[in-house]
Amino acid sequence: MKNDFLFTSESVSEGHPDKVCDRISDAIVDLMIKKYPEARVACETLVTTNRTIVAGEYRLADGIKITNDEIEELVRKIVHDIGYEQEGYHWEKMHFECHLHSQSSNIAIGVDKSGNKDEGAGDQGLMFGYACDETEALMPAPIYYAHNILKEMAKIRHNDKTSIFLPDSKSQITLKYKDGKPIKASSVVVSTQHKRNCSQDDVREIVRDIIMRVLPDGWMCPEDELYVNPTGIFEIGGPDGDAGLTGRKIIVDTYGGASPHGGGAFSGKDPTKVDRSAAYLTRYLAKNVVAAGLATKCTIQIAYAIGISKPLSLYVNTEGTGKINDNEIEKILINLVDMSPRGIREHLKLNKPIYVPTSAYGHFGRVPDESVEGSFSWEKTDLVDDILKDL
């Protein structure tokens, strides 16, 4: 294994065009789950200059209705809460279109529980989960700090209306690793949309202070390797500057490239979709393996076939850091959690309106909100005692 190297991850803010779409799509998932916890939803969003379009399919129980007016009101509120009141993209003035329709009955026949048949997966696919001991959240350090830089910037923007920050921003951090462990930043890049008549130096000073607060002591990169708004001006941003789509930031959503990724995005999908729920399960299992001290790194893959409840495979790889054989870890995990789509949802309590907070700053490495059942339940380490007992 390579022990001395540089590794880079990036993050994007809630105001990035793709993240605006993820948040809208997840808000529609939450709306439908509030109406009917077993709702089936697949929602895609497109944004561009003063235009927002949602499309996809859904299924609610007989007698439960949802109107386009409800959806439009929700979407405009989401855009307002993000902070878009700009000439090129405004929560109130933008054109809105809704093209959501009923789900195909063919999917329902193959997937729903019936007779002695358990609920099957909604599609074929493979999902990966990952954990490592580089941070207290058991996340890779580059993506962890890239997210935190943008979260601090967003906090300033929301709490101080005089702030020069506007909603659209990106961060990128390159960390130096020695003996396989991160020791400092070698470079940091931050690009943020800002109000008019701000100099590059004004933005740089504020951003530098935020980065220094977020990074551990002694980790700040050299001054000539700090790049803040490298093009000089970033006044036009968000959907006016670049079109956005749901599901285009899947590496930002997961581990910043430190782990393999399955093919599917998460946002806009209800928890019967294994693209989402099984990715949460694999993170949950990997995190508990590392938290139990069985390894310092753990990658888990799981695979499904449409209409089939049992997973087709479970793969564990601790990259040579495991205290016991990876095959033995697989045997322990198989007996701990029901890995069928229904079993995952019930164990992690996923049939709840909990998805809007996942839509920006990563689906993993977050702190569960104990007042909200199901909130980031896949980040809990409540399997540790069972894993150690099984050993």
Side-chain angles (χ1 to χ4, degrees):
M1 294 176 62
K2 192 174 181 180
N3 290 320
D4 298 342
F5 55 90
L6 301 177
F7 193 83
T8 303
S9 294
E10 70 161 347
S11 181
V12 296
S13 72
E14 67 204 52
H16 184 281
D18 295 330
K19 280 291 151 196
V20 172
C21 294
D22 285 347
R23 186 160 174 177
I24 290 170
S25 293
D26 274 339
I28 290 171
V29 170
D30 281 352
L31 174 65
M32 295 194 180
I33 289 177
K34 282 179 185 176
K35 288 178 174 285
Y36 179 54
E38 300 293 328
R40 303 294 173 90
V41 193
C43 177
E44 308 293 344
T45 303
L46 162 69
V47 295
T48 185
T49 301
N50 266 332
R51 185 175 296 268
T52 300
I53 301 169
V54 298
E57 58 277 348
Y58 66 92
R59 178 155 56 96
L60 303 173
D62 291 343
I64 299 177
K65 302 295 183 184
I66 194 164
T67 67
N68 284 0
D69 287 344
E70 282 180 272
I71 293 172
E72 179 172 357
E73 181 181 358
L74 174 67
V75 170
R76 292 189 185 278
K77 181 180 185 303
I78 288 295
V79 174
H80 174 270
D81 290 348
I82 292 172
Y84 276 111
E85 295 184 296
Q86 300 171 13
E87 182 180 348
Y89 193 68
H90 194 291
W91 66 273
E92 192 174 31
K93 299 175 184 177
M94 68 183 184
H95 175 75
F96 176 76
E97 296 178 31
C98 180
H99 301 282
L100 290 166
H101 57 83
S102 298
Q103 184 189 59
S104 165
S105 58
N106 290 348
I107 294 176
I109 291 170
V111 172
D112 286 357
K113 180 178 179 180
S114 61
N116 294 325
K117 175 184 174 296
D118 197 1
E119 172 192 307
D123 200 354
Q124 69 179 45
L126 53 105
M127 302 83 210
F128 284 95
Y130 182 71
C132 63
D133 66 353
E134 293 178 11
T135 61
E136 60 183 2
L138 302 186
M139 286 288 288
I143 190 68
Y144 178 79
Y145 292 116
H147 285 324
N148 284 347
I149 290 167
L150 294 186
K151 283 194 281 188
E152 286 299 309
M153 290 171 59
K155 191 182 298 182
I156 290 171
R157 179 173 64 84
H158 285 297
N159 292 337
D160 180 5
K161 297 306 179 184
T162 67
S163 168
I164 64 175
F165 293 146
L166 292 175
D168 191 1
S169 58
K170 304 176 78 170
S171 66
Q172 180 176 287
I173 184 166
T174 300
L175 294 187
K176 181 178 181 180
Y177 283 71
K178 186 173 181 59
D179 297 326
K181 298 293 184 183
I183 59 169
K184 65 174 297 183
S186 66
S187 65
V188 180
V189 184
V190 175
S191 296
T192 180
Q193 187 187 17
H194 57 81
K195 294 178 179 177
R196 296 187 184 277
N197 302 317
C198 294
S199 72
Q200 188 178 23
D201 288 340
D202 292 337
V203 179
R204 184 185 180 90
E205 287 305 309
I206 300 172
V207 169
R208 182 198 287 110
D209 288 344
I210 293 169
I211 295 169
M212 292 187 71
R213 289 202 305 270
V214 167
L215 292 179
D217 289 343
W219 278 40
M220 186 62 183
C221 66
E223 187 67 20
D224 61 354
E225 291 294 335
L226 172 62
Y227 304 96
V228 178
N229 284 11
T231 59
I233 297 175
F234 187 0
E235 294 176 352
I236 298 174
D240 188 29
D242 192 12
L245 291 170
T246 301
R248 286 207 299 197
K249 288 293 177 281
I250 58 177
I251 299 301
V252 171
D253 285 342
T254 54
Y255 309 102
S259 165
H261 198 293
F266 306 151
S267 290
K269 297 175 181 176
D270 73 81
T272 68
K273 313 291 192 294
V274 285
D275 274 346
R276 182 168 219 157
S277 57
Y280 292 170
L281 174 72
T282 50
R283 161 64 177 173
Y284 177 59
L285 296 176
K287 186 174 184 180
N288 275 271
V289 167
V290 174
L294 296 192
T296 59
K297 295 181 180 181
C298 183
T299 300
I300 293 179
Q301 185 205 59
I302 196 167
Y304 292 88
I306 187 168
I308 307 300
S309 61
K310 68 179 181 65
L312 305 184
S313 65
L314 176 69
Y315 164 82
V316 173
N317 183 357
T318 58
E319 300 181 36
T321 70
K323 301 292 179 63
I324 63 173
N325 186 279
D326 291 349
N327 292 335
E328 294 302 315
I329 296 176
E330 288 174 13
K331 292 176 183 176
I332 292 171
L333 297 181
I334 285 171
N335 295 322
L336 285 183
V337 179
D338 179 353
M339 299 184 190
S340 69
R342 175 188 51 78
I344 297 170
R345 294 203 321 279
E346 291 178 355
H347 187 93
L348 296 178
K349 298 179 170 50
L350 298 181
N351 286 106
K352 307 285 182 181
I354 55 174
Y355 297 106
V356 165
T358 70
S359 62
Y361 312 117
H363 291 244
F364 308 121
R366 309 286 291 275
V367 178
D369 182 346
E370 296 299 336
S371 67
V372 179
E373 188 176 43
S375 165
F376 294 100
S377 55
W378 51 94
E379 289 299 312
K380 295 181 178 180
T381 53
D382 52 4
L383 292 180
V384 168
D385 289 343
D386 290 334
I387 289 173
L388 296 177
K389 182 180 177 182
D390 226 343
L391 275 173

